[in-house]
Amino acid sequence: MNQQELLDFDRAHIWHPYAPMPADYTPYPVVSADGVYLDFMDGRRVIDGMASWWSAIHGYNHPRLNQAAHHQIDTLSHVMFGGLTHQPAVELSQRLINLTPERLDHVFLSDSGSVSVEVALKMAMQYWQAKQQPEKNRFLALRGGYHGDTFGAMSVCDPVNGMHHLFQQVLPQHLFIERPSISFHQPWQDNADETIKQMIAQHHTSLAAVIIEPIVQGAGGMWFYHPQYLKTLREQCNKYNILLIADEIATGFGRCGNMFACEYAGITPDLLCLGKALTGGYLSLAATITRKDIAETMSNSEAGCFMHGPTFMANPLACAIACASIDELLQSDWRTNVARIEAQLKSKLGTCREFSTVEDVRVLGAIGVIEMKQPLEVPTIQAKLVAQGVWCRPFGKLLYTMPAYSMDNNELDQLTRAMVTAVKP
Ligand SMILES: *Cc1c(COP(=O)(O)O)cnc(C)c1O
């Protein structure tokens, strides 16, 4: 198939994320990827600034991850998890338990981030039912949050960005609060957590859990907020007996400078969702991790178990690659690399602060964001970036990057220069 035939078929028959049919833009066909580079079908090679939406943290075609995949595919690619178990699931769960805070030691493996959020929400509901408090059945979430596209996850996404009105008849109605106003780098102000305290005090009897993306709100607006806000949330959840769900699907595995974003506030959630970088960007896999007492309470309920079990639960191939990805991360100098990327992003992207069209530039860990005053015209910006050998996909007013930790300084230089040029008025 030549490039035109491929594009014609794609346009006529295949959905792309958040895209109309037929598509309103032409995607770039990719044939291979290596390190931080994507190879397009027309022979062009671009530096990937997106790490395939936070996930390819070690870069593409990685020898260690490839080897783990080859070994596992020749042994056992998949088997059902009902009544059976296997080494990749056990080894991955051991690693996750070691990596996460001490009391998080019961692991539910599922196939995608959205599903891990569904699992966390269902666990919270079943927990309170088992505790004979079924009236605790609502969730409190932040505006500007993003937790996935399935119904449960969507119901706790930002109501406006998430277009709740489209599904009003069937979406459960949860509670929302403004996103935290103090940014990560601003000084904390003593009354900045008043609204959240009031909200929780007022509604705690009906709240099963609070769900948040710790420190970094990703797809809902790339907003970095103050760790004190998280500390307050933890205190209030303790005070009023509410579970705290941390969605670290985007932030986990070193992206924001710590292994997990919760570490900035020194808090431990009751339920933790992981995904995206879990397999180093190779396959779809996610995890929901909770405590023994929560797991056992649910199991002692009327249902007698946790009511969930995906067909591809704990897929051995994905688990084996996830083990290799975690080992690679722990043996690499990821902290130094993320700090190096952070310093470069700060100095290079910082130069566009002076553009009249730019609202804000913010950087945390290996995440760099240019926020414009007006929405960007995606195909135009994209073409400008590709012409400079760079792949980033802006949305709304945001042009942002979260590169692989392995990206070297020259590649980073090319990436940031292209971003700055693309938004130059
Ligand atoms: C991407 C993302 C999800 C959804 O994960 P999928 O694998 O796309 O279903 C949920 N929460 C956060 C914070 C995310 O960034």
Side-chain angles (χ1 to χ4, degrees), residues 279-339:
T279 63
Y282 271 52
L283 278 173
S284 186
L285 183 71
T288 310
I289 312 175
T290 190
R291 289 196 313 264
K292 184 181 159 88
D293 63 295
I294 295 178
E296 290 184 351
T297 302
M298 275 189 303
S299 309
N300 291 328
S301 68
E302 180 210 333
C305 62
F306 175 56
M307 293 298 289
H308 210 102
T311 306
F312 285 95
M313 184 167 183
N315 172 253
L317 186 54
C319 288
I321 297 170
C323 287
S325 177
I326 291 172
D327 292 348
E328 175 64 23
L329 185 65
L330 293 179
Q331 284 162 27
S332 73
D333 208 353
W334 66 269
R335 237 176 236 284
T336 312
N337 265 330
V338 171

Side-chain angles (χ1 to χ4, degrees), residues 15 87 115 150 184 206 220 237 294 314 353 399 403:
W15 296 100
Q87 200 158 328
V115 175
T150 50
F184 185 86
S206 69
C237 286
I294 295 178
R353 267 205 196 89
L399 176 60

Side-chain angles (χ1 to χ4, degrees), residues 146-177:
Y146 178 77
H147 299 289
D149 291 346
T150 50
F151 266 94
M154 186 168 59
S155 74
V156 288
C157 287
D158 183 275
V160 179
N161 289 341
M163 301 231 158
H164 282 195
H165 67 274
L166 293 178
F167 308 100
Q168 214 165 16
Q169 267 71 355
V170 281
L171 266 197
Q173 301 295 307
H174 297 306
L175 290 166
F176 290 91
I177 186 158

Side-chain angles (χ1 to χ4, degrees), residues 194-309:
E194 265 322 301
T195 358
I196 184 80
K197 284 182 180 168
Q198 279 168 15
M199 188 89 160
I200 289 177
Q202 194 185 340
H203 295 284
H204 67 94
T205 52
S206 69
L207 282 177
V210 175
I211 179 165
I212 40 110
E213 293 157 278
I215 306 296
V216 175
Q217 288 190 304
M222 304 296 290
W223 174 246
F224 311 150
Y225 63 86
H226 201 286
Q228 179 56 44
Y229 191 89
L230 266 190
K231 284 189 198 158
T232 301
L233 262 184
R234 180 69 276 181
E235 285 161 16
Q236 298 300 305
C237 286
N238 289 348
K239 181 172 167 188
Y240 290 107
N241 242 341
I242 300 165
L243 297 174
L244 181 62
I245 304 172
D247 176 350
E248 294 236 19
I249 292 165
T251 49
F253 301 104
R255 179 56 69 182
C256 47
N258 285 325
M259 185 56 81
F260 298 108
C262 280
E263 291 168 30
Y264 277 111
I267 62 139
T268 302
D270 303 298
L271 297 128
L272 173 68
C273 299
L274 299 175
K276 289 200 162 102
L278 177 58
T279 63
Y282 271 52
L283 278 173
S284 186
L285 183 71
T288 310
I289 312 175
T290 190
R291 289 196 313 264
K292 184 181 159 88
D293 63 295
I294 295 178
E296 290 184 351
T297 302
M298 275 189 303
S299 309
N300 291 328
S301 68
E302 180 210 333
C305 62
F306 175 56
M307 293 298 289
H308 210 102

